[in-house]
Amino acid sequence: MKKISIYLIATCFVSFSSITAHSQSKFEKILKKVSSKTGSNSTKKGTTTATGTPTTSEMGFGIKEALEIGISRGTDLLSAKDGFLGNAAVKILFPPEAQKVERTLRSIGMGSLADNVILSLNRAAEDAAKEAKPIFVSAIKQMTITDVTNILLGQQDAATNYFKRVTTSQLMEKFQPVITTSLNKVGAAKYWGDAAGQYNKIPLVKPVSTDLSSYVAQKAIDGMFIQVAQEELKIRGSLGARSTPLLQKVFGYADQKK
């Protein structure tokens, strides 16, 4: 009887172990399938986010997002103190027709007067730059699908050229009165009057007169576009400047089309 009992117990144990092993094997197979499927979906999802052809809507949002970031950064830099004066690429100097005035003043020991003129011209431009951001943002919002495509797949300065085309007249209209007010505020008109007056007193020189407001307004606008072009190059050429998944996808697509 004991032998029969032991035999039955052993048989049950073996059967139970076999069932358990079979179940475990089956369970592991299911787990592998789930893991494989999840991994596949994750890869697929990641691929969709990072690569592939962006939709028209994504291209529009991507370009506008990138340009707003660049414009905001660029105008903030130029409107800060020394934004023009401290940047050799956009610093405003004496008008070409008046550079002989500067040379002459410096040669007769009046260099500080020349320095004051240059300082005041750049301070006026920095004041005007504060007015540029809303004009650029408005131009970005008005972009058509054609504009967006041309900018995304165009030359390195395609966005800058777009801004030149649609904002120059508005910028001049907005900058001119600001420049005039600022030139008076910082004493540029007085400094220029003093400089030109001193120069014109020199025997045998041809008197000079320059429309400072128009000159500084145009130079300030030129400086804005130089800064915009630099920001555009950063976005196109620097992976670090593509700070969102959308920018990475849109400009990654543009890179593939080059």
Side-chain angles (χ1 to χ4, degrees):
M1 186 69 180
K2 279 186 178 181
K3 286 184 179 181
I4 294 173
S5 299
I6 292 170
Y7 176 78
L8 287 174
I9 291 170
T11 302
C12 289
F13 179 77
V14 170
S15 299
F16 178 76
S17 298
S18 177
I19 292 169
T20 303
H22 179 72
S23 299
Q24 184 174 351
S25 175
K26 190 173 182 181
F27 181 68
E28 285 175 353
K29 287 180 181 178
I30 292 172
L31 276 181
K32 284 181 181 179
K33 277 188 177 181
V34 171
S35 298
S36 175
K37 189 173 182 181
T38 303
S40 176
N41 287 341
S42 298
T43 304
K44 188 177 180 181
K45 184 177 179 182
T47 302
T48 303
T49 301
T51 62
T53 303
T55 64
T56 301
S57 177
E58 284 177 323
M59 283 195 288
F61 282 122
I63 285 293
K64 291 178 180 182
E65 178 184 343
L67 292 177
E68 284 198 36
I69 292 171
I71 287 296
S72 180
R73 183 165 48 226
T75 53
D76 287 347
L77 285 172
L78 290 182
S79 61
K81 184 179 179 181
D82 292 338
F84 274 86
L85 187 66
N87 184 341
V90 298
K91 182 178 179 180
I92 301 175
L93 303 175
F94 270 70
E97 66 272 26
Q99 286 176 3
K100 57 188 175 182
V101 177
E102 179 183 8
R103 289 193 297 270
T104 303
L105 289 175
R106 293 191 187 283
S107 70
I108 61 176
M110 301 187 70
S112 61
L113 180 56
D115 290 338
N116 284 334
V117 170
I118 292 173
L119 173 65
S120 60
L121 298 183
N122 285 276
R123 289 288 182 258
E126 289 157 11
D127 273 353
K130 297 171 186 175
E131 306 294 326
K133 189 184 294 187
I135 294 174
F136 282 123
V137 170
S138 176
I140 291 170
K141 290 179 179 177
Q142 293 172 17
M143 282 180 178
T144 65
I145 295 301
T146 301
D147 293 327
V148 166
T149 304
N150 289 341
I151 289 171
L152 180 61
L153 303 179
Q155 299 297 318
Q156 296 292 313
D157 58 353
T160 303
N161 287 333
Y162 166 80
F163 285 125
K164 284 181 180 179
R165 178 166 56 83
V166 302
T167 68
T168 296
S169 60
Q170 296 177 64
L171 288 170
M172 180 60 80
E173 183 181 347
K174 194 74 174 179
F175 275 28
Q176 190 90 38
V178 176
I179 291 288
T180 300
T181 300
S182 185
L183 287 174
N184 291 327
K185 181 180 74 174
V186 299
K190 179 181 181 303
Y191 288 131
W192 175 249
D194 291 345
Q198 291 293 333
Y199 176 80
N200 290 339
K201 287 179 183 178
I202 298 172
L204 304 179
V205 301
K206 181 181 179 181
V208 296
S209 62
T210 296
D211 182 352
L212 273 188
S213 292
S214 294
Y215 168 72
V216 177
Q218 186 58 60
K219 294 299 288 183
I221 291 171
D222 292 344
M224 291 298 310
F225 288 132
I226 289 173
Q227 189 64 45
V228 168
Q230 290 176 353
E231 296 298 333
E232 181 177 4
L233 283 176
K234 285 180 188 176
I235 295 167
R236 290 185 185 276
S238 172
L239 295 178
R242 302 171 187 179
S243 53
T244 67
L246 179 58
L247 293 184
Q248 291 163 14
K249 180 176 183 178
V250 170
F251 284 96
Y253 169 73
D255 290 342
Q256 294 171 8
K257 292 295 180 179
K258 289 180 182 178

